[in-house]
Amino acid sequence: MSGRAGTPTVIVARSARPGSERAFAVWLEELVDESSRAPGFIGAEIQQPRTGKPNEWITVYRFETAELLDRWLDSPRRQAIIARGAELAEGPAREQVVVIERNLDPVTAIISVRVDPEHLDEYLELYHQIDDAMSRAPGFVRTELFEPVPGTQDDHVVVFTFDGRDHLDAWLDSPERRAIIDRMQPFIESPHLINVVGGFGGWFDLGGATEPKKWKQAVVVLMALYPTVLALTLIDDWILPDPPLAIDILIGNIIGVIILTWFLMPPLTRLLARWLSR
């Protein structure tokens, strides 16, 4: 890994023993919490099991240098925690050390779709297929599905993040995605796409030397982004029920970025500044 300008990262895949999923999740949280105290720690996240691998959990750790990452991986404290939770896991762990380029900036997209209730099962089956395919795409970070809330939100909202715009665009234009989307079309109405392009910019300038952890940034952005998308979708359906898709996406992008940058993110980051800086 020497000589590459990137962030040394280890991706660890472990399978939970059936019936021990809750204790297994707590054990992984303990590992992540301990890693945050190690020298050179940048960030970590836990990804819950996905379609096709219902028991496999993915943990991602990022460190400043390969040496500090190796020191954490071989540390007695980490080995002790792993030994203590060995009975919760099924089979050996799979570890892959990679380098993530530092100039990559996460980008989040939101798709909101109205699903025909009579074809909900068909839509969900195809959603799981596209979700599984997306998880294998280069640069994939995370995704989440928000189901409708009776009386408040009629749409299914999918939030997904890639490590950069190039990887996001590659996924959006991929033949595999297009094929599944084409099969979805009979079951959905008026898709709305809103992108947050190029990471979080100056939204998290807290006046300190340390940047907030990426997962905390993601949580705060989602807190502001989700109600913004929901409100824009409801207003859009009310004012312009059937606009051209390209114009709809452009208007949503412009208004969403303006609302987040100048109205929502500044007070939200000030309110949560103490938590973000920890």
Side-chain angles (χ1 to χ4, degrees):
M1 291 185 292
S2 60
R4 294 188 61 186
T7 300
T9 302
V10 61
I11 303 170
V12 185
R14 293 186 178 89
S15 295
R17 190 177 300 279
S20 302
E21 288 83 2
R22 180 169 298 183
F24 184 86
V26 172
W27 174 61
L28 289 184
E29 290 285 355
E30 182 182 1
L31 272 171
V32 168
D33 183 63
E34 184 63 29
S35 73
S36 68
R37 300 182 177 89
F41 174 83
I42 293 177
E45 64 184 54
I46 297 172
Q47 298 177 9
Q48 296 185 11
R50 310 188 59 75
T51 304
K53 296 184 178 179
N55 293 323
E56 185 176 81
W57 296 65
I58 304 295
T59 313
V60 181
Y61 302 93
R62 296 178 296 278
F63 278 73
E64 292 177 357
T65 68
E67 291 75 17
L68 292 173
L69 173 59
D70 290 340
R71 186 185 302 177
W72 154 246
L73 293 176
D74 297 334
S75 66
R77 177 60 180 164
R78 177 176 182 265
Q79 298 304 322
I81 298 175
I82 289 176
R84 193 162 62 245
E87 63 181 14
L88 302 174
E90 186 174 55
R94 293 185 291 107
E95 293 187 357
Q96 181 181 13
V97 178
V98 296
V99 173
I100 296 178
E101 296 298 319
R102 284 177 180 159
N103 59 357
L104 292 178
D105 213 1
V107 54
T108 296
I110 287 189
I111 293 180
S112 174
V113 295
R114 190 75 49 85
V115 179
D116 183 346
E118 295 183 0
H119 296 284
L120 178 59
D121 290 341
E122 292 94 330
Y123 167 79
L124 290 177
E125 180 180 352
L126 290 171
Y127 164 77
H128 290 306
Q129 292 181 24
I130 203 170
D131 183 55
D132 185 54
M134 179 167 54
S135 71
R136 300 191 301 269
F140 171 79
V141 177
R142 64 178 66 84
T143 185
E144 190 165 1
L145 172 67
F146 295 88
E147 296 185 351
V149 179
T152 302
Q153 170 201 320
D154 295 326
D155 294 353
H156 282 73
V157 179
V158 184
V159 182
F160 53 96
T161 301
F162 279 73
D163 61 10
R165 185 58 191 260
D166 289 346
H167 280 148
L168 173 64
D169 288 343
W171 163 246
L172 292 176
D173 295 334
S174 67
E176 187 173 14
R177 176 182 181 274
R178 288 181 178 275
I180 301 176
I181 290 295
D182 288 344
R183 292 162 59 195
M184 277 185 173
Q185 291 307 314
F187 313 134
I188 63 177
E189 302 172 355
S190 303
H192 304 283
L193 177 63
I194 294 183
N195 292 322
V196 178
V197 181
F200 304 142
W203 290 349
F204 294 93
D205 183 6
L206 303 178
T210 302
E211 181 186 39
K213 295 175 181 177
K214 291 297 184 184
W215 71 267
K216 291 188 177 183
Q217 295 185 35
V219 168
V220 176
V221 170
L222 185 58
M223 290 171 61
L225 189 60
Y226 180 68
T228 300
V229 172
L230 176 60
L232 289 175
T233 300
L234 293 175
I235 293 172
D236 180 51
D237 287 344
W238 174 46
I239 298 177
L240 297 171
D242 192 23
L245 180 59
I247 296 177
D248 197 22
I249 292 173
L250 177 61
I251 294 174
N253 273 303
I254 293 173
I255 297 176
V257 170
I258 290 173
I259 291 174
L260 289 172
T261 302
W262 281 282
F263 296 98
L264 291 184
M265 293 305 297
L268 194 56
T269 52
R270 286 195 298 269
L271 179 64
L272 300 174
R274 179 175 296 181
W275 176 72
L276 285 166
S277 62
R278 289 205 298 264

